[in-house]
Amino acid sequence: MASQSGPPLDAPAREQWGSRLGFILAAAGSAIGLGNIWRFPYLAGEGGGGAFVLVYLFCILGIGMPYLFAELSLGRNSQRNPVGAIEAIVGKRSAWLIVGGFCVLAGFIILSYYSVIAGWAVGYAVKDIIAPGMGFEAFVASPTLVITLLAAFLGVTLLVVLGGVEQGIERWSKILLPVLLVLILLVIFRSVTLEGAGEGISFYLMPDFSGLTTEIIIAALGQAFFTLSLGMGAMITYGSYLSKKENIATSGIYVVVFNTVIALMAGFMIFPAIFAMGVDPATGPALVFVVLPEVFSQMPLGGLVGVTFFILLSIAALTSSISLLEVVVSYFVDERSWSRKKSVLIIGGITFLMAIPSALSQGAVPSLSAGGIFGPETGFLGFMDYYVGSLGLALGAFFLSIFIGWVWGADEAAQEMMQGSNMSAQVLSVWMFVIRYIIPLVVLVIIIGYITGTL
Ligand code: PHE
């Protein structure tokens, strides 16, 4: 029954991606973001370089990719947002709807603080104009700067989502992603031709397993979910605009490959430069914003490379924030029958208000910042990133994989995935096993890791 479930026959025709390439670029755009260019390099730097990269790749291929197929299948099956997708399978009264509701809420919250960081990236692209010579700490503590930048970034996100699936999200992803690729190649070229770059390349590529800890393995697993936009229904929502003729596995593989290539390329932009400049790779989250401008300032053509780099980071963040907003918007459009315009404007407004405490949590308001009510080390933004962006995604992926593997049924999910593809029975049965057993188990380990505070 479940695989026949879906929207009622009299429902208005649902928007769909205009082309296969359009879907792949939009989904890859969702995946590729601050996670690849800001988070991955600093985690790899902290995790000892090559060894982290290898574990991360394993997590992406072994866990992230099969789970991505599952989210896409669930979305396409029902052609609905995360709540509607679950409802189509278990009905209106099931407690499983809470998981869908959590996805929508997580979309709201992640979008709020994600837009703050993206706003910094926008600000750094034009920093010589708006705040020349200002250090990172002063920059992020300036309420006028961060709130204006947040508003600007969120405003652009709203405009794109207002345009709808094909004319907004798909059209812009098709333009922005290729631009991003070209810009990255440019920065890599600059970075690897610096004197002393070789040491960075070998740190990045030669795995040294002697320093590998469970903590690093857990961090690599968490990063795999974050970077592929998994665990909060973004890929359920994007899958819901997929036609039944599309091949979920092939399209999904493209998304994984693009996302992984961009993350690996981000490493090639950053590590050679860091080593050439003698900077510590384990600098942490500040790596991009504090260290790189320093690195750029010391290298030939650095001004241009710096501006290019932060434009690129903003573009990557935009194609991700679009998908975060779309999860929430699709819920209100599908389930509450709001118009797209009304949803975008109301949700955008609320997200902006919710983002303000995050924006002010880097020194502008001491009680919201590190050392205030959220603990000695993190402010409101870090608190949200930890409990929603990390623990929340892991919990989401855990419950959704149980839901897909056991409640909907791995065989039903496999049937959905089979439509439009010619996957062999052996591959399918391996996939079903992974969805039912491997993923919930591994994710449980991540969650226990978070809870016991290893991360
Ligand atoms: N994948 C995005 C990134 O790497 C972040 C994201 C997470 C987007 C969850 C949507 C949903 O930046």
Side-chain angles (χ1 to χ4, degrees):
M1 176 224 119
S3 64
Q4 265 86 50
S5 62
L9 289 174
D10 56 353
R14 185 171 175 81
E15 285 188 89
Q16 278 192 350
W17 304 109
S19 67
R20 177 163 177 223
L21 181 70
F23 163 71
I24 292 171
L25 289 183
S30 166
I32 296 163
L34 296 171
N36 306 57
I37 296 173
W38 160 74
R39 208 171 187 250
F40 170 75
Y42 94 69
L43 287 178
E46 284 180 339
F52 176 92
V53 176
L54 218 74
V55 177
Y56 164 82
L57 287 177
F58 180 79
C59 296
I60 288 280
L61 292 179
I63 310 285
M65 192 168 71
Y67 176 71
L68 169 67
F69 300 164
E71 275 203 19
L72 290 174
S73 301
L74 179 61
R76 186 175 71 173
N77 172 65
S78 61
Q79 317 257 302
R80 281 282 183 273
N81 65 90
V83 176
I86 292 174
E87 192 187 301
I89 287 160
V90 289
K92 276 195 186 321
R93 291 179 193 284
S94 167
W96 281 103
L97 294 183
I98 298 170
V99 177
F102 167 81
C103 288
V104 175
L105 192 68
F108 252 126
I109 295 173
I110 297 176
L111 178 62
S112 71
Y113 74 79
Y114 199 88
S115 302
V116 172
I117 305 172
W120 302 344
V122 174
Y124 262 62
V126 291
K127 189 158 171 295
D128 283 345
I129 304 163
I130 60 168
M134 201 186 233
F136 179 70
E137 275 186 28
F139 185 93
V140 294
S142 154
T144 349
L145 273 179
V146 287
I147 290 184
T148 315
L149 291 165
L150 155 71
F153 180 82
L154 204 54
V156 177
T157 305
L158 298 193
L159 281 179
V160 175
V161 177
L162 213 50
V165 173
E166 193 182 344
Q167 284 306 310
I169 302 173
E170 178 172 342
R171 189 171 63 146
W172 281 99
S173 302
K174 268 185 180 161
I175 299 170
L176 295 178
L177 264 183
V179 173
L180 178 68
L181 257 173
V182 172
L183 288 181
I184 292 185
L185 284 172
L186 204 83
V187 180
I188 291 181
F189 179 74
R190 177 62 276 177
S191 192
V192 297
T193 50
L194 287 169
E195 208 173 310
E199 209 187 319
I201 296 176
S202 55
F203 171 81
Y204 185 46
L205 293 187
M206 309 294 264
D208 168 14
F209 290 105
S210 62
L212 198 64
T213 59
T214 23
E215 211 178 326
I216 293 173
I217 297 173
I218 287 167
L221 271 165
Q223 174 63 6
F225 284 119
F226 186 86
T227 192
L228 288 172
S229 306
L230 298 174
M232 48 73 65
M235 291 301 176
I236 298 179
T237 307
Y238 273 27
S240 76
Y241 303 123
L242 263 180
S243 128
K244 297 278 181 195
K245 291 197 285 283
E246 290 301 345
N247 185 331
I248 288 181
T250 319
S251 303
I253 289 171
Y254 276 116
V255 172
V256 172
V257 169
F258 280 166
N259 184 66
T260 309
V261 166
I262 300 273
L264 293 178
M265 283 167 85
F268 277 111
M269 293 195 288
I270 290 166
F271 289 111
I274 286 174
F275 276 76
M277 301 292 160
V279 173
D280 180 8
T283 299
L287 196 66
V288 165
F289 290 102
V290 176
V291 176
L292 274 186
E294 187 61 31
V295 168
F296 293 142
S297 79
Q298 292 173 31
M299 66 197 215
L301 285 180
L304 187 68
V305 176
V307 171
T308 309
F309 178 81
F310 285 106
I311 291 177
L312 174 166
L313 191 59
S314 310
I315 292 173
L318 180 64
T319 51
S320 301
S321 64
I322 290 168
S323 71
L324 286 162
L325 180 58
E326 181 61 22
V327 172
V328 190
V329 166
S330 72
Y331 167 76
F332 284 96
V333 170
D334 290 346
E335 308 299 313
R336 309 269 152 165
S337 307
W338 289 11
S339 70
R340 176 168 280 272
K341 192 170 167 192
K342 176 179 170 189
S343 314
V344 170
L345 294 179
I346 293 180
I347 293 154
I350 300 174
T351 308
F352 177 68
L353 295 179
M354 269 183 18
I356 290 179
S358 286
L360 298 178
S361 71
Q362 305 300 307
V365 173
S367 61
L368 290 174
S369 307
I373 43 183
F374 296 97
E377 273 163 37
T378 43
F380 186 73
L381 193 157
F383 184 82
M384 288 295 163
D385 186 36
Y386 183 84
Y387 284 101
V388 183
S390 301
L391 183 57
L393 291 186
L395 275 168
F398 175 72
F399 285 114
L400 283 169
S401 59
I402 301 261
F403 179 79
I404 293 168
W406 297 93
V407 180
W408 184 23
D411 42 350
E412 296 281 355
Q415 255 186 40
E416 178 65 46
M417 200 163 83
M418 276 296 280
Q419 284 194 45
S421 96
N422 48 4
M423 212 179 238
S424 77
Q426 286 95 322
V427 176
L428 263 187
S429 57
V430 171
W431 179 76
M432 281 161 55
F433 181 80
V434 171
I435 286 297
R436 288 195 131 156
Y437 299 99
I438 308 284
I439 294 176
L441 220 97
V442 171
V443 177
L444 198 64
V445 172
I446 305 179
I447 293 169
I448 292 171
Y450 278 130
I451 290 171
T452 54
T454 32
L455 256 184

